[in-house]
Amino acid sequence: MVHPYLRELPQGLEKLVELSLDLHWAWSHGSDHLWQEIDPAVWARTKNPWLILQSVSERRLEQLAQDQSFLAELDRLEQARRDYHKSESWFGDNYANNDGLIAYFSMEYGLTEALPLYSGGLGMLAGDHLKTASDLGVPIVAVGLLYQEGYFRQMLDARGRQLEIYPYNIPTSMPITPVRAEDGSWLGVPIELPGRILILRVWQVQVGKVNLYLLDSNDAMNTPLDRGITGKLYGGGLETRLVQEIALGLGGWRALAALGLRPDVCHLNEGHAAFVTMERARYFMEENNVDFWEALWATRGGNVFTTHTPVAAAFDVYPRVLIKEYGAHYAKQLGVSARELMALGSKSHNGDDDAFNMAYLAMRTCNRVNGVSELHGKVSRRIFDDLYPHWPEREIPVGHITNGIHVPSWDSPWADEIWTKTCGKGRWLGTPETLSEAIKSLGDNALWQFRGKERHELVQYARHRLARQLGQRGADDEMLAKAENFLDPNMLTLGFARRFTEYKRPNLLLRDPDRLERLLTNSVHPVQLIVAGKAHPQDETGKLFIQAWAEFVSRPSVRAHVVFLEDYDMDLAQEMVQGVDVWINTPRRPWEASGTSGMKVLVNGGLNLSELDGWWAEAYTPGVGWALGDGQEHAEPGWDAVEAEQLYDLLEHEIVPMYYRRDSQGIPCEWVARMRASMSQLAPQFSSNRMLQEYVRNAYLPAIASYRKRTAEGGRLGKVLAAWESEVRRNWHEIHLSNLEVKQQEGGWLFSLQVYLGAIPPESVRVQLYAEPEAGETVELPMMACGCDIPGAIHGYVYDCAIMTTRPASDFTPRVMAYHADVLTPIETGLIVWWQGTS
Ligand SMILES: *Cc1c(COP(=O)(O)O)cnc(C)c1O
């Protein structure tokens, strides 16, 4: 294969091209030794096989081309890669007849450091989603942006201030390939912006079986300003951000169309991508000669939205003027008014609002919506309730699919070994539930040994990384030599690494620095701590937290026990989650939508000490780790102090003593029992295998079915539904209720109610008795049956319903909701009338 960015390789080495461009290497690790053999220095520094192929000398390549054992190994690896691509999969085994296609849209992807296009958890999740889709054979194609500078890299200056550095991502050195159109030209996707056309170039990334398409604007045909649109991730102002989101949504859909791909499902990873739903409808509209609303009704069945935001203030919001400027031309194309366009992203239906909210747009244009943990689902129902006036919070249409992590990307070589021994090689290619039993059988000795190896590796890595960062700052040889002796491979090792932002409370452990110092330097039971994390460039508070840590680690007394490692990235995260004994997480509940870093320690035998927030609120039981907080939300100012106290107490009185309580062989049996419980009970459950299987069953498959049904025959059902909705909406005000009568009966109540529907036929409504469920109860809400006509009334009926219950009649309130068998309520129509009066 001749690649535009690669010189010709000597005969026999051609297979290196495909091997290096398939990111499967990033998690199979099967070829690590091969890249290392070609160029150990570049491999160690960059973990980028593609760069190795570009930079290695001709001489080295000639040598390798003569090396029979290297060639044999290359053959074996390329064959293994092909076998992986052809292998049977969970999806194929279970849904052999399903030929649906899912398109996944995300602003960021964390796949490997060789492709640094992420800032944090959202990107990691997206990366793990794609890798898992590859492993499970789920038919996903993904779309994102290629940033010239990505997210910033972090350094600290001598005073501990964060410096932001933006090294240039050289596209030709990243494992990506330009996509060619049929005529051989570079595929470019045009987008109409005010006064100009923006061209987006298309690149392809091979993520195992999954294709990821990346768009970038750095094309010489664009204006200098527009070339910078895909410059930075989460940099620039509101306008840049808006255009980035237009590029992702509109550009993303156009790119897929240009490639001949017509997905059944669009999955929006956060509201950033929501414009894709409009572009999808626009395509449908033009191809089927229907109007925008009919097209939206038809295509919405296939749209899935995952929200990650825990507070309304964090939604992506654009001012009206910007939407007006950028949306004017587009509204014309859609055949809707500027006001109607605005209304799609506004709280009110009339489009008078001043703010266009991307999450609202997503709620209006997607049929299946989920938060990312059980608690976050609940929080989301609260923060979206503005969009569904008169609906009880529990019926706000947001469910949850708890996040998971792609285990093969985060396990250590030693964890891989021990899991392979007990659960076999293909364990993360299928259903994870069966793994728990096998891991339970692991002996104390084996568990404690592998933990020791992982901790040792982390200590080595941390020393090197520290020496490198000190060297960068110009430290002298004496200091560098000292750094080589910091930390201790046998000491209880705590890890804290995350974005430094207020709600994560990265200073909670530092609240009483002297107490932390005493804890770390205890002469009998010493402790060590590794800290890392970046603050967003505009987050001054976050930067002050970093400075506080920098100040603390420079205390001579704690130097050997605590290090701050700069530039928290995937590589560092991998080392940390593999090596620590305890992973600490201190968010302010309920601000951590899910959190995933704590899940990454599970497979490696690390234990969690975390606030009862996000995933930990549903994972925690006393035998698997430790919990902070009381499982409630607290706004009072003194609460941080309470939790800081709890954090120190747990460490001093429980965690540290347990780690050092050893049996005659030197094994901490209680500790190991917790490792075993955490590994067996939690690692499978919080793997992305479980997560993606839930997405398939609860979101993708129903979405495929709904999309196909609604779009069949040029969108016939879509048109029916659009007409149904406007009819019902127009006449909804005519509904009124009267004469509620309740009679006591044997074992319950008989309700009857007069319902006047006006122009609305009775089959377009459901009349129901609503009651808040009592604790722990899941009641089916009883439907009231349409009985006799009310004489002289148009569509006036007596509805009645007998219920068996011990609850008082006053717990039940009748209500009328719009109903169509093919419409989801309330996400597609929230039309509802409640019984208000007493009669
Ligand atoms: C996993 C990961 C995250 C997300 O972790 P949180 O639990 O949300 O803090 C962020 N950054 C990196 C580098 C990660 O690996």
Side-chain angles (χ1 to χ4, degrees), residues 627-681:
L628 267 183
D630 60 358
Q632 304 294 323
E633 277 99 73
H634 292 271
E636 63 266 32
W639 189 254
D640 284 357
V642 174
E643 289 198 353
E645 189 70 19
Q646 199 189 4
L647 179 59
Y648 291 125
D649 283 348
L650 271 173
L651 286 164
E652 287 165 354
H653 304 311
E654 265 198 58
I655 297 172
V656 178
M658 187 186 292
Y659 179 88
Y660 285 107
R661 211 174 294 137
R662 305 297 169 96
D663 71 2
S664 57
Q665 291 179 63
I667 294 178
C669 299
E670 283 169 275
W671 190 279
V672 172
R674 274 179 196 247
M675 282 172 56
R676 190 182 293 109
S678 164
M679 289 170 76
S680 66
Q681 292 167 33

Side-chain angles (χ1 to χ4, degrees), residues 118-121 124 410 497-499 504 568-570 573 592 595-598 600:
Y118 67 91
S119 94
M124 288 308 147
W410 302 101
R498 49 204 65 256
R499 279 184 300 120
K504 296 214 184 219
Y568 182 45
D569 66 1
M570 261 187 104
E592 183 96 308
T596 49
S597 56
K600 298 170 190 162

Side-chain angles (χ1 to χ4, degrees), residues 27 134 149 194 236 239 274 291 339 342 349 383 420 435 542 556 712 749 814:
W27 72 95
S134 173
E149 295 175 348
E239 186 166 345
D291 72 23
R339 179 180 282 262
M342 190 68 199
H349 271 280
I383 60 183
T420 303
L435 304 177
W749 307 98

